[in-house]
Amino acid sequence: MTSVCGHVMSLDFIGKYNNWDKVDPAELFSKAPTEKKEANPKLNMVKFLQVEARDCDYVVLWLDCDKEGENICFEVLDAIQPVMNKGSVREQTVYRAKFSSITDVDIWNAMNHLGEPNRNEALSVDARQELDLRIGCAFTRFQTKYFQGKYGNLDSSLISFGPCQTPTLGFCVERHDKIQSFRPETYWVLQAKVFKGKDSPLTLDWNRVRVFDREVGQMFLNLAKACREAKVESVSKKEKTKQRPQALNTVEMLRVASSALGMGPQHAMQIAERLYTQGYISYPRTETTHYPENFDLKGTLKKQTGNPIWAEEVKALLSTGLNRPRKGTDAGDHPPITPMCAASEAELGSDGWRLYEYITRHFIATVSEDCKYLQTTIDFTIGTEAFSCSGKTLISAGYTAVMPWQGIPLEETMPDCERGDTYTVDELKLLEKQTSPPDYLTEAELITLMEKHGIGTDASIPVHINNVCQRNYVTVESGRRLKPTNLGIVLVHGYYKIDEELVLPTIRSAVEKMLNLIALGKANYQQVLQHTLDIFKRKFHYFVDSIAGMDELMEVSFSPIAATGKPMSRCGKCHRFMKYIQAKPSRLHCSHCDETYSLPQNGAIKLYKELRCPLDDFELVLWTSGARGKSYPLCPYCFSNPPFRDMKKGMGCNECTHPSCQHALNSLGIGQCVECDSGVLVLDPTSGPKWRMACNKCNVLVHFFEHAHKVQVAQESCNACDASLVVVDFNKARTPLPAGETQQTGCVFCDVVFQDLVELKHATMRHAMHRGGGARRGRGRGRGRRSNPKKPKDKMAALAAYFV
């Protein structure tokens, strides 16, 4: 028995098609080949599975029982079948276990009814992955490059498009537009208060509700004022029922988590998955709201008798008998979400408990009685005008005993009266009011709209909502309301202007239906894929040709790149100052040459001593991630346009293979990193007097020679470990050298005096740097002079082992 961590493989374009600068985005629809790559290469999951499966006769697949789980089944099979024992032609070697919770009963039942994995469901996931990859990447690359090259204050590192993400944003902007275009209207309401004897006055509702003409309202008021008595026309009493909820599915759980528990959908889903893997609830991804006929409702309920919070309600239900749950929808995937065992807040933590508590209360409510109440309505007339008032009296709490927030509110009891009774009019007035605009969409409302229009699945809805928030298209306001940003609004308006189907939910909804037909075996995978890509390819070409329409909207809302930022370093071409644009993605722009240069992200940029790159004459800048982080100089031109064949885009001077530049790896590299295989420890010449060297690949930092006047890298190398020697000028008052000597040349790793002055740390990184790194080959180890240096040993190796 072993496990995987989500998808084993992920879909991506082959190497050269991942270069944004060299590939026309239009090619991504058909020409660009895709390949399956390991989803997390560091895990080595394929190799691990092959080792586990070697010489096995059978495999039983216990992956999640949804379409994604089915897809992972075939990813596992692709990895392990080549190394399994080959059975006879007729012998079945692959089995699929279907289960919905991690309980003894469910596991035994799954093992006793093994089936086969469903290839059609797996293919529907493959189709969705390829469509989202090709369509999303093509539109994203085009509009990101087009707009980031023109505007400096977009404040978004990626202007992304997604077949599901964009309609999701469209719903938020549509509500924003309704709010903006709303014009309040004044209306008038007639309000009456009546009393009888010493009873409290009753406030009556006007049966006409409201009028939009003041003079008409005044006329009705005058007609009613002519009579000082209110006459009871009728008294009706009706017993009404508030139905218990249907069984809980994913979408309803996410709605309640957002509206009542204050949890975002993505966060709620993560908590639900944890509760499931720990055995507290059943599988949390389901569209079904109907319990199967063989579902053990009584046994599941019995497990909750020990919890003091709802023990009383549970015991009462078990003694009187469970009520039959309401009939819901059977989507054929998983049973509804239910608690699988008892738990306490101490076990689950705050958020875990709140979600578990709601799931449990909801389950108990589904097998409880309906809530029953008596509604009393009294109809009055005052002159020619009709009024009424009503109230509710609880008869039986039913399921609201365990879900009190849905209970009948306590209201003043209605007076006993009969037809023909008269009341004295205490007050009669005309109230002026105004219509109010709708509020911004809540996450719960957005989830409802996405479900209604078929945007995303129960599993992907939280992801799409999270994406529009992360891309800075919407912000989450109080009450978990989604307010679109300026960028989100302009994008949606631009799509509407060019091709409204890019943002309307209709086309994605149609695609989802076709994907479901693949899953059911009623549509051909290849034909659906080709048909959908043809449609979006045409839309893409039209979008590119019409981009000026969206650009007109952008011009109104955002500043041209030449008008933003502050002067920082000189351009190597025109020798004028380039402007540093701090808004994400941070970059340098030369308005004279109309060129924009990328920079490493998530750190601070400053001028580097006004020194220049010997290759292109651009002034160097220094990137730093803070006082406890790394820093290195870089040439803005070389960073975007690698000067040497063994360099990749996104490399700084600490990775540059220039043979003689004083800022490059050859001049400042000291030795191979003590932790990672491809990194080189490079002296940071700006770090004095707290001198340090840092790995140019990972976050290893080595502090050494504190308070030394000067540290330089020598041309000679250590005979023992092949690292470059360093020349250190110590402070006279603090020199560690014998006899008050202040200068020494030696190996950082092997010199006995130097070893005691070395300390290994790890840089504090705010985020992973956006850099296109990768290990260099050949020259780049040590200082580029030797191809196979030994790793530093002794103290540094011991330190590295300690930190690992």
Side-chain angles (χ1 to χ4, degrees), residues 478-598:
S478 61
R480 302 212 64 85
R481 296 189 180 277
L482 302 169
K483 184 179 181 181
T485 62
N486 209 11
L487 178 58
I489 294 162
V490 171
L491 281 176
V492 168
H493 288 174
Y495 294 135
Y496 269 116
K497 193 172 182 181
I498 297 171
D499 179 359
E500 63 180 16
E501 284 192 335
L502 291 175
V503 73
L504 289 174
T506 45
I507 196 163
R508 182 60 193 196
S509 180
V511 171
E512 287 291 344
K513 287 174 184 172
M514 287 193 285
L515 293 173
N516 282 333
L517 289 175
I518 295 174
L520 296 169
K522 294 179 180 178
N524 180 275
Y525 158 78
Q526 204 62 47
Q527 287 176 346
V528 168
L529 196 62
Q530 199 55 52
H531 173 68
T532 310
L533 286 174
D534 284 346
I535 291 170
F536 275 95
K537 186 177 181 179
R538 290 190 182 97
K539 288 185 174 296
F540 176 78
H541 283 298
Y542 183 73
F543 181 74
V544 171
D545 293 340
S546 311
I547 194 66
M550 185 185 275
D551 200 20
E552 287 172 5
L553 301 175
M554 285 279 189
E555 282 176 350
V556 176
S557 301
F558 299 101
S559 305
I561 197 165
T564 52
K566 58 182 181 182
M568 178 168 280
S569 68
R570 291 183 185 273
C571 170
K573 295 178 182 178
C574 67
H575 300 291
R576 289 177 171 84
F577 276 105
M578 297 188 291
K579 285 188 174 179
Y580 171 47
I581 297 155
Q582 206 164 353
K584 283 188 177 180
S586 58
R587 53 211 190 276
L588 284 166
H589 177 74
C590 177
S591 53
H592 182 263
C593 302
D594 196 21
E595 294 278 355
T596 304
Y597 301 99
S598 302

Side-chain angles (χ1 to χ4, degrees), residues 258-270:
S258 176
S259 60
L261 306 180
M263 295 181 193
Q266 182 93 333
H267 180 53
M269 204 66 225
Q270 288 168 349

Side-chain angles (χ1 to χ4, degrees), residues 174-439:
E174 184 184 17
R175 177 61 66 87
H176 168 83
D177 291 342
K178 284 180 180 174
I179 295 168
Q180 294 301 305
S181 62
F182 183 82
R183 295 291 176 268
E185 283 188 85
T186 305
Y187 64 93
W188 287 265
V189 176
L190 210 57
Q191 189 186 76
K193 285 186 179 179
V194 299
F195 68 94
K196 185 179 182 182
K198 293 182 180 179
D199 292 343
S200 300
L202 283 175
T203 301
L204 308 183
D205 296 318
W206 190 26
N207 285 12
R208 294 184 194 273
V209 184
R210 60 186 178 179
V211 292
F212 287 89
D213 188 313
R214 182 184 175 87
E215 289 183 7
V216 173
Q218 190 65 45
M219 178 193 73
F220 287 128
L221 177 65
N222 294 338
L223 288 169
K225 271 188 172 179
C227 184
R228 298 305 301 165
E229 283 188 335
K231 185 181 177 183
V232 177
E233 294 294 328
S234 66
V235 179
S236 64
K237 294 189 177 185
K238 287 183 182 176
E239 188 177 301
K240 292 199 169 185
T241 299
K242 191 172 184 180
Q243 281 192 312
R244 62 198 178 281
Q246 288 184 329
L248 185 64
N249 67 2
T250 306
V251 169
E252 182 60 22
M253 179 188 74
L254 295 177
R255 263 196 292 257
V256 173
S258 176
S259 60
L261 306 180
M263 295 181 193
Q266 182 93 333
H267 180 53
M269 204 66 225
Q270 288 168 349
I271 292 169
E273 284 168 355
R274 177 168 59 81
L275 292 174
Y276 162 67
T277 53
Q278 291 174 342
Y280 291 108
I281 64 171
S282 62
Y283 191 62
R285 290 197 182 106
T286 176
E287 296 174 18
T288 296
T289 56
H290 181 74
Y291 294 113
E293 295 304 318
N294 60 351
F295 193 89
D296 186 10
L297 294 167
K298 195 170 185 178
T300 306
L301 191 63
K302 274 182 179 176
K303 293 175 182 175
Q304 299 300 328
T305 52
N307 193 310
I309 299 172
W310 43 71
E312 195 178 315
E313 286 86 356
V314 170
K315 286 172 183 174
L317 273 172
L318 289 169
S319 62
T320 58
L322 277 63
N323 194 25
R324 189 176 181 82
R326 282 173 60 196
K327 188 170 176 63
T329 305
D330 185 359
D333 50 358
H334 289 279
I337 305 167
T338 48
M340 288 289 108
C341 65
S344 65
E345 187 171 357
E347 292 173 69
L348 306 182
S350 175
D351 283 354
W353 166 254
R354 289 193 302 134
L355 190 61
Y356 171 84
E357 181 186 14
Y358 170 72
I359 291 168
T360 307
R361 286 182 182 274
H362 190 109
F363 167 69
I364 298 167
T366 62
V367 293
S368 300
E369 293 287 338
D370 290 338
C371 172
K372 292 177 183 175
Y373 62 94
L374 186 70
Q375 182 159 307
T376 305
T377 304
I378 307 172
D379 292 314
F380 292 86
T381 54
I382 303 175
T384 59
E385 290 308 291
F387 295 84
S388 64
C389 65
S390 62
K392 297 170 184 173
T393 309
L394 186 66
I395 298 172
S396 167
Y399 80 92
T400 62
V402 77
M403 293 178 86
W405 59 90
Q406 290 196 15
I408 303 301
L410 290 171
E411 296 178 351
E412 287 184 27
T413 54
M414 302 302 291
D416 289 326
C417 58
E418 295 177 357
R419 188 173 185 272
D421 286 358
T422 57
Y423 280 67
T424 304
V425 176
D426 181 43
E427 185 180 67
L428 197 61
K429 59 184 177 182
L430 192 66
L431 299 178
E432 182 181 308
K433 296 188 176 185
Q434 280 196 323
T435 54
S436 56
D439 211 335

Side-chain angles (χ1 to χ4, degrees), residues 88-105:
S88 65
V89 178
R90 294 179 184 176
E91 189 178 3
Q92 185 179 350
T93 57
V94 176
Y95 296 92
R96 175 74 162 109
K98 293 273 187 180
F99 62 104
S100 295
S101 65
I102 307 172
T103 61
D104 288 2
V105 174

Side-chain angles (χ1 to χ4, degrees), residues 67-140:
K67 294 187 184 80
E68 296 290 337
E70 220 63 36
N71 189 261
I72 299 171
C73 281
F74 286 93
E75 292 176 353
V76 171
L77 290 176
D78 288 342
I80 66 172
Q81 281 185 319
V83 300
M84 287 177 64
N85 289 337
K86 299 288 182 283
S88 65
V89 178
R90 294 179 184 176
E91 189 178 3
Q92 185 179 350
T93 57
V94 176
Y95 296 92
R96 175 74 162 109
K98 293 273 187 180
F99 62 104
S100 295
S101 65
I102 307 172
T103 61
D104 288 2
V105 174
D106 234 24
I107 291 169
W108 279 112
N109 188 52
M111 195 66 193
N112 290 329
H113 299 90
L114 294 175
E116 293 183 36
N118 187 323
R119 185 168 287 279
N120 289 328
E121 288 190 359
L123 283 173
S124 75
V125 174
D126 282 338
R128 181 184 283 108
Q129 285 179 351
E130 187 161 345
L131 288 174
D132 289 350
L133 176 71
R134 291 186 183 278
I135 297 165
C137 283
F139 278 92
T140 298

Side-chain angles (χ1 to χ4, degrees), residues 466-482:
N466 191 53
N467 281 344
V468 296
C469 295
Q470 284 193 329
R471 300 282 187 258
N472 194 33
Y473 295 159
V474 300
T475 55
V476 182
E477 306 284 303
S478 61
R480 302 212 64 85
R481 296 189 180 277
L482 302 169

